[in-house]
Amino acid sequence: MEKPTFQPVGTPVMELDTPALVLDIEALNFNLEKMSSIIGQSDVGIRSHVSTFGCPAIAHLYADKVPGNSGIAVNTIGECEVFANAGFSDILITNQIITRSKILRLCSFAANHSVQVLVDNPQNVRDLSDLAVNSGVIIGCKVEIDVGLGRGGLSDPGEITELANSILALDNLELTGMTANFLPLHVSSVSTKPSTESLLEIFTDTISQVTDIDAKYRFLSVRSNEGFQDLLSASEISEIQIDTVPLMDQKSLKMNLQFKPSVKVLCSVLSHPIPTRVVVDAGHKTTGPDIGLPVVDGLSGIEAVKFSAEHGALEVGDNATQILAPNDKVWLIPFDLSLCTNQFDYFRVVRNNVLHGLWPISSRGSFG
Amino acid sequence: MEKPTFQPVGTPVMELDTPALVLDIEALNFNLEKMSSIIGQSDVGIRSHVSTFGCPAIAHLYADKVPGNSGIAVNTIGECEVFANAGFSDILITNQIITRSKILRLCSFAANHSVQVLVDNPQNVRDLSDLAVNSGVIIGCKVEIDVGLGRGGLSDPGEITELANSILALDNLELTGMTANFLPLHVSSVSTKPSTESLLEIFTDTISQVTDIDAKYRFLSVRSNEGFQDLLSASEISEIQIDTVPLMDQKSLKMNLQFKPSVKVLCSVLSHPIPTRVVVDAGHKTTGPDIGLPVVDGLSGIEAVKFSAEHGALEVGDNATQILAPNDKVWLIPFDLSLCTNQFDYFRVVRNNVLHGLWPISSRGSFG
């Protein structure tokens, strides 16, 4: 695992060992307040999707400060266990739980916590019921709807109705509504993605055709990031699962200009192989640039252009050595927060430009 | 950190919890033998670059089985410390060590081990000397040469000569030769890269112009992967730093057809959102597809096409449910080993199709 050089609280931020994943607690608080004022009096539930940052300390701040808190969401049973240990008890796993060993872990978990999973397959629903009955626990099920992104779920109203009715008929399962994930799958870069409005239209149109189900089971929960503001006013939506917003990344900032980037990678200049280029000590392994390159913060005209596992190359125009000398520090805003934080085990938390603490990313790597 | 569900040794591989990073020990041994027979009687030194896999158990096998073993190479002082604890004492850090705190760690390390770093900057060389003198240690320095990839190093023969002479003149530094990294920087996909031959020509041509340095300091060490076979016969080259070859990934397999992929990600089918698509439980966070997509192993006509953080989408032609049912297992060969292993804390080591052990990726996340 990551072996941080534990520097003392109070260390000036520019003296942190690099590369460092730095969380600016003031920017985080600013974003949480901004988010709260946007949500305002809306009666939609806000479920914090914590797998993006994996840090219970942040999840607690999020739950305390943002109105409408309706529990947390995670991606895996492993993350579920980590966050339950950290004090969270109402957890939605935004995934199908398929294998027998994982269903058994889910049942153990359900003995002491409220847990829901996504379902889109009749056999899986029967397996969940069988093992829940054996364990004497109740498992909440949300039917996943595919809104055309092809990332999981059903789209045929007949199949949706049939699956929902089978959940109602089976023992030890509870139908807790329908859900859709509005985040697109990527190849190596972010493709043009459908608008939140168009995805919402597909979702509500599909649900409107599911007529043979009592209205109380049409509790609609949507996973979204930058589009969350468009969902607040949608009367059909009961709950939004939001992840990146309070922390922000370059991908989400582009559509939410009133927020601040609270998480950045601090790196050091290592070399100047050619006059127009500066090489820094942050590469693929720290910035996670799978679907987009990080952006240099606070230095205009400088662009992150290429990466190796441990190095990043910045294009700086001429006279690179005049602009950034070896050992100078550079701030990078990650393009996608989730892929960046998954590389680290700790946030270096900074307040007033000094180290305030090291917050563990406790669920990093909890894939299974 | 990763919380593996520790399944007992002897568990059949297809019953491992997914997603799992699986190392096939027989394929690894096959590759090590193949590599040994290729190297044969060559008197070039082979330095195992361990940061790609981060696992001391593999590094020990590599050192034991491959001829010409001349120590290991790492990327960071953090990795250096991890591998020294695991019993390695001759370590080349293939990076500039710039910040004062890291130079101090380097000096502590040099008190008990043979360590070399790369240098390309006069001020850095003076800093290294000053702190090495204070600590009473010797630090080996290799001058890094830029062979046109713009990833670090000097290219002007005059500057190279000057830097080499300043190392010779300064106290407590030892000039141990010249080095070049032949691995290209990437944007989001692997660009057309120069051939090993052309990089070698630039390297040896540059060195031939460095005339004012004793020949004994022209010990040339090259970092390479799939091109290592072309370097074995280059009389100018004294040492090759090889990383991926004994384990292999899709990127290196394409150019080394006689090797086997020894590391794969085992994943499970979760869903069939559309008839032509299967969704599996391995996404960006497990396969690390930054510079290329993983390849499905053993199933023809099936292609990994898109990823989210936790999901992978495979295109399977029609009748996806007939071909792969929920809970069926799929093997993915990672495109780039380094970016995949950095996501995990353990290799699930498999022999004869059963779990043989869990080998820690001890230097994962040792960025600094």
PDB file of all heavy atoms in Angstrom, chain A residues 37-48:
ATOM      1  N   SER A  37     -27.194  25.181  -0.723  1.00  0.00           N
ATOM      2  CA  SER A  37     -28.057  26.300  -1.105  1.00  0.00           C
ATOM      3  C   SER A  37     -28.774  26.000  -2.416  1.00  0.00           C
ATOM      4  O   SER A  37     -29.894  26.443  -2.632  1.00  0.00           O
ATOM      5  CB  SER A  37     -27.260  27.605  -1.166  1.00  0.00           C
ATOM      6  OG  SER A  37     -26.532  27.670  -2.366  1.00  0.00           O
ATOM      7  N   ILE A  38     -28.146  25.217  -3.296  1.00  0.00           N
ATOM      8  CA  ILE A  38     -28.821  24.827  -4.544  1.00  0.00           C
ATOM      9  C   ILE A  38     -29.968  23.865  -4.244  1.00  0.00           C
ATOM     10  O   ILE A  38     -31.064  23.982  -4.785  1.00  0.00           O
ATOM     11  CB  ILE A  38     -27.816  24.182  -5.528  1.00  0.00           C
ATOM     12  CG1 ILE A  38     -26.820  25.232  -6.032  1.00  0.00           C
ATOM     13  CG2 ILE A  38     -28.545  23.528  -6.705  1.00  0.00           C
ATOM     14  CD1 ILE A  38     -25.649  24.654  -6.811  1.00  0.00           C
ATOM     15  N   ILE A  39     -29.720  22.922  -3.356  1.00  0.00           N
ATOM     16  CA  ILE A  39     -30.766  21.941  -3.019  1.00  0.00           C
ATOM     17  C   ILE A  39     -31.900  22.624  -2.263  1.00  0.00           C
ATOM     18  O   ILE A  39     -33.078  22.355  -2.496  1.00  0.00           O
ATOM     19  CB  ILE A  39     -30.159  20.782  -2.192  1.00  0.00           C
ATOM     20  CG1 ILE A  39     -29.171  20.001  -3.071  1.00  0.00           C
ATOM     21  CG2 ILE A  39     -31.244  19.860  -1.661  1.00  0.00           C
ATOM     22  CD1 ILE A  39     -28.295  19.039  -2.313  1.00  0.00           C
ATOM     23  N   GLY A  40     -31.513  23.531  -1.365  1.00  0.00           N
ATOM     24  CA  GLY A  40     -32.489  24.371  -0.673  1.00  0.00           C
ATOM     25  C   GLY A  40     -33.630  23.589  -0.066  1.00  0.00           C
ATOM     26  O   GLY A  40     -33.424  22.638   0.680  1.00  0.00           O
ATOM     27  N   GLN A  41     -34.850  23.973  -0.419  1.00  0.00           N
ATOM     28  CA  GLN A  41     -36.035  23.360   0.188  1.00  0.00           C
ATOM     29  C   GLN A  41     -36.543  22.162  -0.611  1.00  0.00           C
ATOM     30  O   GLN A  41     -37.606  21.629  -0.309  1.00  0.00           O
ATOM     31  CB  GLN A  41     -37.154  24.404   0.318  1.00  0.00           C
ATOM     32  CG  GLN A  41     -36.766  25.633   1.126  1.00  0.00           C
ATOM     33  CD  GLN A  41     -36.305  25.284   2.535  1.00  0.00           C
ATOM     34  OE1 GLN A  41     -36.944  24.493   3.222  1.00  0.00           O
ATOM     35  NE2 GLN A  41     -35.183  25.844   2.959  1.00  0.00           N
ATOM     36  N   SER A  42     -35.801  21.750  -1.626  1.00  0.00           N
ATOM     37  CA  SER A  42     -36.240  20.602  -2.422  1.00  0.00           C
ATOM     38  C   SER A  42     -36.469  19.401  -1.510  1.00  0.00           C
ATOM     39  O   SER A  42     -35.724  19.186  -0.558  1.00  0.00           O
ATOM     40  CB  SER A  42     -35.168  20.270  -3.470  1.00  0.00           C
ATOM     41  OG  SER A  42     -35.411  18.992  -4.016  1.00  0.00           O
ATOM     42  N   ASP A  43     -37.520  18.628  -1.788  1.00  0.00           N
ATOM     43  CA  ASP A  43     -37.745  17.467  -0.925  1.00  0.00           C
ATOM     44  C   ASP A  43     -37.195  16.180  -1.537  1.00  0.00           C
ATOM     45  O   ASP A  43     -37.534  15.082  -1.106  1.00  0.00           O
ATOM     46  CB  ASP A  43     -39.224  17.323  -0.554  1.00  0.00           C
ATOM     47  CG  ASP A  43     -40.098  17.228  -1.789  1.00  0.00           C
ATOM     48  OD1 ASP A  43     -39.537  17.230  -2.911  1.00  0.00           O
ATOM     49  OD2 ASP A  43     -41.332  17.165  -1.633  1.00  0.00           O
ATOM     50  N   VAL A  44     -36.325  16.310  -2.532  1.00  0.00           N
ATOM     51  CA  VAL A  44     -35.679  15.131  -3.097  1.00  0.00           C
ATOM     52  C   VAL A  44     -34.613  14.632  -2.103  1.00  0.00           C
ATOM     53  O   VAL A  44     -33.980  15.430  -1.401  1.00  0.00           O
ATOM     54  CB  VAL A  44     -35.050  15.474  -4.475  1.00  0.00           C
ATOM     55  CG1 VAL A  44     -33.854  16.373  -4.326  1.00  0.00           C
ATOM     56  CG2 VAL A  44     -34.683  14.216  -5.237  1.00  0.00           C
ATOM     57  N   GLY A  45     -34.485  13.312  -1.995  1.00  0.00           N
ATOM     58  CA  GLY A  45     -33.453  12.758  -1.125  1.00  0.00           C
ATOM     59  C   GLY A  45     -32.094  12.837  -1.802  1.00  0.00           C
ATOM     60  O   GLY A  45     -31.991  12.651  -3.014  1.00  0.00           O
ATOM     61  N   ILE A  46     -31.064  13.144  -1.033  1.00  0.00           N
ATOM     62  CA  ILE A  46     -29.710  13.183  -1.580  1.00  0.00           C
ATOM     63  C   ILE A  46     -28.926  12.035  -0.957  1.00  0.00           C
ATOM     64  O   ILE A  46     -28.746  11.971   0.261  1.00  0.00           O
ATOM     65  CB  ILE A  46     -28.999  14.516  -1.260  1.00  0.00           C
ATOM     66  CG1 ILE A  46     -29.801  15.710  -1.794  1.00  0.00           C
ATOM     67  CG2 ILE A  46     -27.572  14.509  -1.832  1.00  0.00           C
ATOM     68  CD1 ILE A  46     -29.898  15.798  -3.300  1.00  0.00           C
ATOM     69  N   ARG A  47     -28.498  11.104  -1.813  1.00  0.00           N
ATOM     70  CA  ARG A  47     -27.729   9.966  -1.327  1.00  0.00           C
ATOM     71  C   ARG A  47     -26.284  10.162  -1.773  1.00  0.00           C
ATOM     72  O   ARG A  47     -26.006  10.249  -2.970  1.00  0.00           O
ATOM     73  CB  ARG A  47     -28.318   8.667  -1.897  1.00  0.00           C
ATOM     74  CG  ARG A  47     -27.805   7.410  -1.246  1.00  0.00           C
ATOM     75  CD  ARG A  47     -28.496   6.173  -1.798  1.00  0.00           C
ATOM     76  NE  ARG A  47     -29.761   5.850  -1.166  1.00  0.00           N
ATOM     77  CZ  ARG A  47     -29.883   5.143  -0.042  1.00  0.00           C
ATOM     78  NH1 ARG A  47     -28.810   4.691   0.573  1.00  0.00           N
ATOM     79  NH2 ARG A  47     -31.072   4.890   0.452  1.00  0.00           N
ATOM     80  N   SER A  48     -25.396  10.261  -0.840  1.00  0.00           N
ATOM     81  CA  SER A  48     -23.988  10.505  -1.151  1.00  0.00           C
ATOM     82  C   SER A  48     -23.357   9.234  -1.718  1.00  0.00           C
ATOM     83  O   SER A  48     -23.333   8.199  -1.060  1.00  0.00           O
ATOM     84  CB  SER A  48     -23.281  10.906   0.145  1.00  0.00           C
ATOM     85  OG  SER A  48     -21.899  10.746   0.021  1.00  0.00           O
TER      86      SER A  48
END
